[in-house]
Amino acid sequence: MKSETRSKLMGVSVATLATALFKRGLRNQVIQGVHPVAPKGRNMVGPAFTLRYMPAREDRNQLSEFRNPKHPQRVAIETCPEGHVMVIDSRKDARAASAGDILITRLMMRGGAGIVTDGGFRDAATIGALDIPAYHARPSSPTNLTLHEAIEINGPIGCGDAPIFPGDIVVGDEDCVIVIPAHLAEEVADEAVEMSAYEDFVVEQVKNGQTITGLYPCTKEEHQAAFAEWRKSNGR
Amino acid sequence: MKSETRSKLMGVSVATLATALFKRGLRNQVIQGVHPVAPKGRNMVGPAFTLRYMPAREDRNQLSEFRNPKHPQRVAIETCPEGHVMVIDSRKDARAASAGDILITRLMMRGGAGIVTDGGFRDAATIGALDIPAYHARPSSPTNLTLHEAIEINGPIGCGDAPIFPGDIVVGDEDCVIVIPAHLAEEVADEAVEMSAYEDFVVEQVKNGQTITGLYPCTKEEHQAAFAEWRKSNGR
Amino acid sequence: MKSETRSKLMGVSVATLATALFKRGLRNQVIQGVHPVAPKGRNMVGPAFTLRYMPAREDRNQLSEFRNPKHPQRVAIETCPEGHVMVIDSRKDARAASAGDILITRLMMRGGAGIVTDGGFRDAATIGALDIPAYHARPSSPTNLTLHEAIEINGPIGCGDAPIFPGDIVVGDEDCVIVIPAHLAEEVADEAVEMSAYEDFVVEQVKNGQTITGLYPCTKEEHQAAFAEWRKSNGR
Amino acid sequence: MKSETRSKLMGVSVATLATALFKRGLRNQVIQGVHPVAPKGRNMVGPAFTLRYMPAREDRNQLSEFRNPKHPQRVAIETCPEGHVMVIDSRKDARAASAGDILITRLMMRGGAGIVTDGGFRDAATIGALDIPAYHARPSSPTNLTLHEAIEINGPIGCGDAPIFPGDIVVGDEDCVIVIPAHLAEEVADEAVEMSAYEDFVVEQVKNGQTITGLYPCTKEEHQAAFAEWRKSNGR
Amino acid sequence: MKSETRSKLMGVSVATLATALFKRGLRNQVIQGVHPVAPKGRNMVGPAFTLRYMPAREDRNQLSEFRNPKHPQRVAIETCPEGHVMVIDSRKDARAASAGDILITRLMMRGGAGIVTDGGFRDAATIGALDIPAYHARPSSPTNLTLHEAIEINGPIGCGDAPIFPGDIVVGDEDCVIVIPAHLAEEVADEAVEMSAYEDFVVEQVKNGQTITGLYPCTKEEHQAAFAEWRKSNGR
Amino acid sequence: MKSETRSKLMGVSVATLATALFKRGLRNQVIQGVHPVAPKGRNMVGPAFTLRYMPAREDRNQLSEFRNPKHPQRVAIETCPEGHVMVIDSRKDARAASAGDILITRLMMRGGAGIVTDGGFRDAATIGALDIPAYHARPSSPTNLTLHEAIEINGPIGCGDAPIFPGDIVVGDEDCVIVIPAHLAEEVADEAVEMSAYEDFVVEQVKNGQTITGLYPCTKEEHQAAFAEWRKSNGR
């Protein structure tokens, strides 16, 4: 992705992006049911690199499987491109882990931009202290082999009921994670920057006692003018 | 509501209130499944002012709807009386937002005493930093139009499986939110103040090594006497 | 339990223990769906002392029941042996409380090592501030009588879909709680200490830029040698 | 509603209607999670007449309430216009009944076209034997007072996550129930009749060994011609 | 139980019994979420004989366990007294079976009056054809050992969120199953017989075109008189 | 698959197969939460041919997509080999259909052995009348495009929390559906035939009044002898 697009997306909220996608008829792009393992004070932004789990069949998922250098979970961690966000389809099942602190530390060292699962992470307290954004449903200590078999790297998946295609742009803030279809990323980023400027203006007005009627959304010309003024004085 | 009643309810826990209502045969007054967006260090207390959502039909819920100055969600925010708690029936569906930071900032500016939804708020991190108590199930970035249509202001509703009538007294602490039927508010407030005094006495005794048997609940006269003494010395 | 075993278990993670039990064919020992009321910065470790709730029948569960000095919930608190963890089977129903701050304060004073329910605690904010680890699904203000009747002390139970027998060793960290069958506690504690040493070594290597391939799990001799070296220099 | 529209809707499937509404951007008009109490061998068709339940507060929902001739549940049954379908918002909670055989018998006698709840009916076996279509989630013996208070007649509601406005056209077959916005009923009925003709033609072709490719949907001219022929010979 | 009580309970519906218990303040006696494996055309009536499952620990639940003549599941089947209903607490988990056709055939041969689980039965199609009423949540083929360990015979349990004590009277019809506390069985049976007579009278009136207002419940004297007449002519 | 294996599997129950797989350490092979659309009076048996759905993104899932002759859902139906069972991963979401009567009729005409989804079928009443076994969670009228995008044909999937690999042997009876790993099919079929013979013998004994103790499972030599005799006389 373009670094300008990344910068823009670092500065807008998932709520604003959700509205921009809603305008385009996309209603299901928020990954439902996940939250930050720990707040990072900045957005997570990057193209999706995916991993899909299927239910584990016991004979194929003994601890010895991890000794296989081609085990897809480990290969995914070692091949996720720099700046990408790993998105894991764990079938919304957090009863066993999607990954743990060692793998996520490795992903961080390799330059990963973040990681999301609709299941849970083990060693979550440790992961929360790492300098990489991570989102999950809840902490989950059992090894992934208990219920999940990593089966496919970088194919199209579902995560938290949202559709994810490799290369889609993933953005997470302190509330939620959203997936922007790759071809829309730039225009949506631009629009969201504009929307954010207006929202910031509105918040300031509302904190000064202004009613939202006619202001949010803007249906009165006077607010358009005031906003133009505000942009100038605030360099937005 | 009387300001004395409000004061009393500011100083008791939802757990104590739940027991006082249980005594009166009311078992379902706690709004299930909600928690504070961020702890505020004080109770939320006020009469309920309600908003009801129904499932959104797509043709009635385009972004342009918000331009309508009579849109019930916006009207509700602009008409909620000072000191009231807005309670939203979102059918326990947090997949789309019940409200966001701009509207809740406006509610705060207008003197609202708090806001509760059995769905989720967008911009939750921002809302958590505002000086108004807010309770929800979880953060939710998609605009309410995605799944919810605001359809009725200040009618009787359900919220988190609890029955809410406009004017019922809503109390929230760091754990939960409870709804006291309007006609019971004063007597329940009085009783809860009494119960809290005894509970505080008990905690002190227990921290000094006392057994709970006979003490909680009080079935021994000696504790009655000690409590009377304690009230005197503690001005309770 | 032996104090050495306790010490060992104080220093390992639930994730590591889950893997050690997985190796032994035990896949369901993590209590699903519970988390710390507040992080304590140390593990909770102790033999299980159990309490079982059944659904409350209204005529048997009026407030007056608590006046009975033999009420099983209160008896359980007053008889839980020092150093034990009270584990409560609340049928995964957090709509009413499993216990509150007064009882848990008493348990703490009596030397209890912790408390776990697959329901919820009332007065959770207060409990979180106590010096005793507590785990639940979520805060829940209604008194237990609303939905739960304490029916059996120290029998075999389920908690969060895990099987618990009295005397099993319960370990909780900031993520999760796990139950180690009593007869396996020592060997699992030993193994987990070994595993933790290797994991700590791995984390250090990964933070230095090492790939996980061949390192985690260890399939290359060079890492065995480096680990032996590391143990020596780190006194592990 | 026009009797021609009713006739048309008696002859098409809910699946076909769902597709016709999907074309118009309406994706959530099927009442999720309900099924016929017993198959009736014919569609249920009629304008919606609604009833809304809220959670029951115990002091307002004693058996004596039913003695009130203005109890909304009973009034709803006695005022539902002939040919209408009563649709009940029971908040998807089937733990207590929405109605029983006596009331539904009365509705039948008054000419009601059917009844739907997203909760459950008591006396369901008896209701299944009546000559009126009824749809619910599952049988439920407890009286509605246990959990539900009838609070509003013929307002907008949600039922099984679908939006229902009074006067919308409700159609049920052996699979599901769908709600057609009133203003679309005629055009959707017409279109569904056309679609059904083509589907019947397709089924016949497929049973003769034809591939679906190019046939369903029709992308080959030869099928258009064959269909025209088929309509003529079959009088469709 | 008295054979007269049994006879009375054979002739009334679970819905009527639920109302009679509701009058006495008991709101949770219906076993939620179960239905007949197959309709039997008669009620199931008998005192409860209970079996409790806990989550299965794998090392204690290998197939060889069944060779133990003291395995509680098998002992329960072989000791359930004639005329009793076996009620199984399967923690509402139907992912593994509570019992299968062989055991239920044996129970039938021993004179069992029926069997209920809040989980599922394997061989359900075969069980449905036996001459013994059986109720469950859904068919479930995996052996109970997969998830359930039979741990206690004839203690107090929960089943489908209802409280069950051994000896409580269990009644099932084509809709649901209800549990009458033992000490109330006779008076509730008597009352239900009376209520059923009036309900049958009402149905007849309603089928003749009578409104329910004033009739159900009876608030008009004229209906009292007509009912008295009806009882005489119908021998009720 | 061998036709002998198929024949054997036509004559055994899913419950028996589940036990045979349990013996081999496989506990999760039953597809949870599905049942026959209509009983067919015979087992469904065949190798799995899979289809995977992901969540639908609205811009990729308009009705026009079906005009594409390469749409994976339609291609799957047209390429599923004779004698195979189509197994669909619908992410356990029955809010939109997995397939309808036209496609399933085509599958039947092409010689498909059956179809399973962990979602729902539209036109279910029609499908139930076809001469091909079909299993789902519940009827669902909305077109698949509403929520599902067909994304992959014949890869490994999850269905009802069970792992499915193409070529695994799928067996359905009136209760449930199970998946036998391909390499185990023959030995499991053989073992199940043996087990079924003994179970049939047991049922006969139990119907004659025999206790299950020592008989099921067989721990007494006398039963072994009687069984040998029974096999001879019954040609098993």
Side-chain angles (χ1 to χ4, degrees), chain F residues 53-70:
Chain F
Y53 281 112
M54 63 180 287
R57 206 173 78 197
E58 292 90 336
D59 59 344
R60 297 172 53 96
N61 289 278
Q62 297 301 313
L63 267 184
S64 54
E65 294 305 321
F66 285 147
R67 304 184 72 83
N68 177 357
K70 296 193 178 152

Side-chain angles (χ1 to χ4, degrees), chain F residues 7-56:
Chain F
S7 298
K8 287 171 192 160
L9 293 172
M10 290 301 289
V12 298
S13 74
V14 171
T16 299
L17 292 168
T19 300
L21 291 175
F22 178 84
K23 271 197 226 179
R24 287 160 176 81
L26 302 181
R27 297 157 164 271
N28 299 306
Q29 300 301 115
V30 166
I31 297 178
Q32 295 285 347
V34 307
H35 62 268
V37 174
K40 290 288 129 187
R42 65 174 198 271
N43 277 4
M44 170 183 75
V45 178
F49 181 83
T50 72
L51 178 66
R52 178 162 71 92
Y53 281 112
M54 63 180 287

Side-chain angles (χ1 to χ4, degrees), chain A residues 13-15 18-19 22-23 27 30 32-33 174-176 202-203 206-207 209-213 216-219, chain B residues 58 61-63 66-67 69 74 78 95 102-103 105-106 109 122-125 138-143 145-146:
Chain A
S13 74
V14 172
T19 300
F22 179 84
K23 272 198 225 176
R27 297 157 164 270
V30 166
Q32 296 285 347
E174 289 194 21
D175 284 2
C176 287
V202 166
V203 166
V206 169
K207 286 196 170 159
Q210 187 63 254
T211 173
I212 51 172
T213 318
Y216 182 65
C218 184
T219 55
Chain B
E58 292 90 337
N61 288 279
Q62 297 301 313
L63 267 184
F66 285 146
R67 305 184 71 83
R74 270 70 199 264
E78 292 288 350
R95 293 175 302 151
I102 293 176
L103 270 66
T105 300
R106 176 62 183 153
M109 294 306 295
R122 64 202 317 229
D123 317 302
R138 63 170 173 85
S140 179
S141 297
T143 172
L145 300 167
T146 312

Side-chain angles (χ1 to χ4, degrees), chain E:
Chain E
M1 64 184 304
K2 287 196 193 165
S3 76
E4 295 80 15
T5 309
R6 185 185 297 266
S7 298
K8 288 170 192 160
L9 293 172
M10 290 300 289
V12 298
S13 74
V14 172
T16 300
L17 293 168
T19 300
L21 291 175
F22 178 84
K23 271 198 226 176
R24 288 159 176 80
L26 303 181
R27 298 157 164 270
N28 300 305
Q29 300 301 115
V30 166
I31 297 179
Q32 295 285 346
V34 307
H35 61 269
V37 174
K40 291 287 130 189
R42 65 174 197 270
N43 276 4
M44 170 183 76
V45 179
F49 181 83
T50 72
L51 177 66
R52 180 163 68 95
Y53 281 113
M54 63 179 288
R57 206 174 78 198
E58 293 89 336
D59 59 345
R60 296 173 53 96
N61 288 278
Q62 297 301 312
L63 267 184
S64 54
E65 294 305 322
F66 284 146
R67 306 185 70 83
N68 178 357
K70 298 191 178 153
H71 188 278
Q73 186 205 34
R74 270 72 199 265
V75 171
I77 291 288
E78 293 287 351
T79 56
C80 175
E82 207 183 318
H84 280 55
V85 173
M86 181 170 292
V87 184
I88 307 176
D89 176 349
S90 303
R91 293 161 292 112
K92 300 187 286 184
D93 191 340
R95 293 175 301 151
S98 302
D101 69 326
I102 293 176
L103 269 67
I104 295 179
T105 301
R106 177 61 182 153
L107 181 68
M108 175 183 74
M109 294 307 295
R110 293 191 66 263
I115 186 163
V116 186
T117 180
D118 57 2
F121 294 123
R122 64 202 318 228
D123 316 303
T126 305
I127 292 166
L130 294 176
D131 188 27
I132 181 173
Y135 293 78
H136 68 168
R138 63 170 173 86
S140 180
S141 298
T143 172
N144 61 348
L145 300 167
T146 312
L147 284 172
H148 300 309
E149 174 172 342
I151 198 69
E152 191 187 11
I153 294 177
N154 221 22
I157 60 169
C159 184
D161 290 336
I164 326 278
F165 294 86
D168 283 352
I169 302 305
V170 182
V171 183
D173 63 10
E174 289 195 20
D175 283 1
C176 288
V177 179
I178 197 166
V179 182
I180 312 172
H183 69 286
L184 293 175
E186 285 185 49
E187 74 176 70
V188 162
D190 285 337
E191 185 167 320
V193 166
E194 291 298 297
M195 292 165 70
S196 298
Y198 190 71
E199 287 159 7
D200 289 351
F201 164 74
V202 166
V203 166
E204 204 176 294
Q205 300 300 101
V206 169
K207 286 195 169 159
N208 289 335
Q210 187 63 255
T211 173
I212 49 172
T213 318
L215 174 67
Y216 182 65
C218 185
T219 55
K220 291 196 181 149
E221 249 173 72
E222 62 191 79
H223 295 311
Q224 287 291 23
F227 176 48
E229 196 60 40
W230 181 91
R231 293 194 86 158
K232 242 181 281 171
S233 17
N234 289 271
R236 299 283 292 267

